[in-house]
Structure formats: C-alpha cells, structure tokens
Amino acid sequence: MCSLSGPRDEDGPRGQAESPLGHEVEKALLGGEPKYTKAAVAEAAGVELARAERLWQAMGFAHVEDHEVVFTDADVRAVRMLVQLVSADVITAELETAVARTLAQTMSRLAEWQVAIFRSVLGDRFAEDLDVTAQFAEAITPVMEDLQGYVWRRHLAATAARELTEQVGDGDERLQVIGFADLVGYTRLIRDFSEVELGRLIDEFEETATAVVAENRGRIVKTVGDEVLFVTDTAADAAEIALTLNERIPGSGKLPPLRIGLAQGPVLARFGDVYGSTVNIASRLTSVARPASALVDRELATSLRAHPAYSLTSIGPTKVQSFRGLRAYALRRAR
C-alpha cells in the first residue's frame, strides 16, 4: 500500500495549504499532524470517497480540495468508528449522516464558546503570539475534553434513567408538554445595547432559564437567541416553570419580561430535538401572549384544571397561523 501521507518537503506535506491558525496551534487543537488528503482518509478507513465526503459535509465542515493535506489520524479513526457502528447495526446506514449532523450541531456551538474563552484569557496574544496560543491550547484542551466527557456521561445516565421509567409509546413519540419562553422587545435590545451588554443579558437570561427548568424537572431542548425551548413530562412541572420564569425574569437586572406558550400532546423526539403539532402550537401561543404572561392550550388546561395551585382563564378562540379556532387559556397562580 502506498504512503498515505505523500512526499514531504521543507514546508511540510506536499499540497498542504498554510493554515491561518499556524502549524503548532492547529496541531495542538487537532491532536495530531495533518498528513492525509480526503482520498487517503477514505482509503485508510476502508470506505468509498463519496461516503467519506458526505460524512464530512454532514458534520458542517467546509469543502476540501482533492490535493489538500488537512486530515489527521483522528479523522481516519472517526470515519472507521462511524462505519463500524453501521456495520454492527447500532445505527442504520440511512441514519449515519443524521448522526454526524447532530454531533456537529452540538459540538460547533461548544467550540465557539471555548474559542471565546481562549480569546478572553489571552487577549491580544491570541492572534499576535501563536506560540503562546499553541501552548495554551495544548494545556487546556485535554481538560476541556475530560470535562465534556464527564458532562456527557452524566446526561447519558439521566436520559437513560428517564427512558427506563417513562411510559414510552410507539417509536420516539410520547406525550409531553412543550414550552417556549421568548424575551419581549429583543429587536430593541439589539439596537440599544452594545455587543458586550447584549451578551451579558443573553447569558443572564439563559442562566436563569436553565436554573428554573432544572429545578422543576424540565429539560432545555435548545436556545435560539432570545428564546428557550423546553420540555417536561408533567403538566404541573411545565406550569411551575412558566410562572417561576415570569416571576424571576423581570427582577433580573435589565432583562425585559417574557412571553411564554405551553402545549401538551404527542411529541416526536429525534436526535435531541422535538417535532410535531404540539411544538408548533406552543410556538404560536408564545407569539400571541402578552408580556409577562403564559398561555396554555386546551389539552394542558384540562390537565391543570383540578390542580389547586393554578388558575386558568379562557381567552377564547385565538387566531394564529395554521391553527383555526385554537383555544388558549391564561395561566396564573391561584389566589
């Protein structure tokens, strides 16, 4: 078998483009020396080039020219592992790109946050002194990697415990409560605050939302700028999250009030996200809720009606896109 790394010259592997990171920084972050073209990776992993390229693109990485030497031994191992999962029937061939895409979406956001830490610690040296940046990356990356592994295992155990105790229906569909919490006047915040101030506000919002949702046995599915999407298994937990958020947020610094929409019904959970009409109804209710209020749909109102801690007021049919005659109820604490 021919050498996968190709001939070398004084400047490194032939065909290797100079990375804007600098050689030592790139090596520290990737955990190895770039020495493969994409064809060499496919050959070493024992897969067709088209399949390797498809997985690379699914992970959200930019197109790589045939001659570019940008891949490491870790890339070969990753492709092999994903192929082995398919061969062992752990995942189906149809799902391998979806698995790659889901991992990429999670890790991309995590990487952006971690690079922001690099910049905040190193300041101007981050871009001006690549030797210092490389040393910092080499020292901190293994720590972050271990911490990520710990958090992942904890979430894995918690999710497995829920799956073993919940009454799960067919496939990935189950009865749950979906909630959206949306900051009022986000457009004005973008206009009136600097990037630093806006970043602090978003951090404060996400920190408060994460704490409230966790305290009441909910789970945050995702955050998108000014909005948090969460899910609970019971009606009472969802109601408590909504009311507590509206109580805490107005008193949290400069944060504006929230609009919250809740809906109960069948939900399709797939690759860490949720889908279905229940999700759409909760989103629509959020769009028509008044500031510092929470609206729930008829199904959730029925589940909460006998609960002594909550009060429900019908606001009649609500005109929202794609849902005619949707009945909404204002959720409050009982006096």
Side-chain angles (χ1 to χ4, degrees):
M1 183 176 176
C2 65
S3 171
L4 295 175
S5 58
R8 296 178 64 92
D9 55 28
E10 294 180 351
D11 298 322
R14 182 174 296 174
Q16 180 171 344
E18 177 64 26
S19 169
L21 282 170
H23 177 74
E24 292 304 319
V25 178
E26 184 177 52
K27 182 179 176 181
L29 292 176
L30 292 179
E33 192 85 39
K35 56 183 180 179
Y36 299 108
T37 64
K38 60 185 179 183
V41 170
E43 183 180 354
V47 302
E48 303 86 356
L49 177 57
R51 186 179 180 185
E53 285 189 303
R54 186 169 63 249
L55 292 173
W56 177 257
Q57 291 173 356
M59 287 185 281
F61 299 127
H63 173 73
V64 175
E65 298 294 341
D66 292 345
H67 67 276
E68 291 186 87
V69 180
V70 297
F71 300 103
T72 70
D73 289 325
D75 294 295
V76 176
R77 289 196 300 271
V79 174
R80 281 178 181 162
M81 285 187 288
L82 195 50
V83 170
Q84 287 169 359
L85 288 176
V86 174
S87 300
D89 293 328
V90 176
I91 60 175
T92 65
E94 293 78 14
L95 288 180
E96 72 173 5
T97 54
V99 170
R101 185 171 59 250
T102 303
L103 280 170
Q105 289 170 353
T106 301
M107 292 302 171
S108 174
R109 188 174 181 188
L110 183 62
E112 288 181 6
W113 167 71
Q114 289 169 339
V115 170
I117 292 178
F118 285 20
R119 293 187 66 92
S120 66
V121 172
L122 296 176
D124 293 339
R125 291 179 298 171
F126 175 78
E128 295 175 0
D129 193 334
L130 295 184
D131 288 338
V132 171
T133 302
Q135 292 169 14
F136 182 79
E138 196 166 1
I140 202 67
T141 301
V143 179
M144 287 182 165
E145 198 168 17
D146 287 345
L147 184 58
Q148 287 166 198
Y150 159 75
V151 175
W152 167 69
R153 285 187 177 275
R154 273 291 175 184
H155 277 291
L156 194 64
T159 302
R162 284 197 306 271
E163 292 291 322
L164 291 170
T165 56
E166 289 175 359
Q167 295 294 321
V168 180
D170 294 336
D172 295 321
E173 189 173 270
R174 64 203 63 188
L175 188 70
Q176 290 186 310
V177 182
I178 297 294
F180 283 90
D182 181 38
L183 284 171
V184 175
Y186 186 66
T187 303
R188 179 185 59 79
L189 291 179
I190 295 175
R191 184 181 65 245
D192 294 346
F193 287 86
S194 68
E195 290 184 3
V196 173
E197 291 173 321
L198 184 62
R200 288 172 181 164
L201 253 64
I202 295 300
D203 285 344
E204 185 180 353
F205 168 50
E206 291 187 357
E207 182 178 354
T208 303
T210 300
V212 171
V213 171
E215 287 167 10
N216 294 283
R217 296 165 294 281
R219 301 179 296 284
I220 288 183
V221 177
K222 58 185 174 184
T223 58
V224 184
D226 59 331
E227 189 172 62
V228 168
L229 167 59
F230 62 90
V231 60
T232 71
D233 298 321
T234 71
D237 286 340
E240 196 59 35
I241 288 171
L243 295 173
T244 304
L245 280 173
N246 273 333
E247 289 163 357
R248 290 193 189 176
I249 290 295
S252 300
K254 298 180 180 179
L255 283 174
L258 298 175
R259 293 188 179 94
I260 298 177
L262 303 171
Q264 184 178 39
V267 175
L268 174 64
R270 190 170 186 269
F271 294 113
D273 211 338
V274 287
Y275 305 88
S277 60
T278 305
V279 180
N280 292 338
I281 290 171
S283 177
R284 299 294 190 271
L285 290 175
T286 305
S287 67
V288 298
R290 292 181 178 179
S293 74
L295 294 183
V296 307
D297 71 338
R298 178 162 39 195
E299 285 70 18
L300 183 55
T302 300
S303 298
L304 292 171
R305 199 167 295 284
H307 201 295
Y310 308 115
S311 168
L312 294 156
T313 304
S314 174
I315 62 172
T318 304
K319 294 181 180 180
V320 296
Q321 185 179 0
S322 303
F323 292 95
R324 289 186 176 181
L326 176 66
R327 296 196 67 87
Y329 298 79
L331 173 68
R332 301 183 182 90
R333 293 199 184 277
R335 294 183 178 179

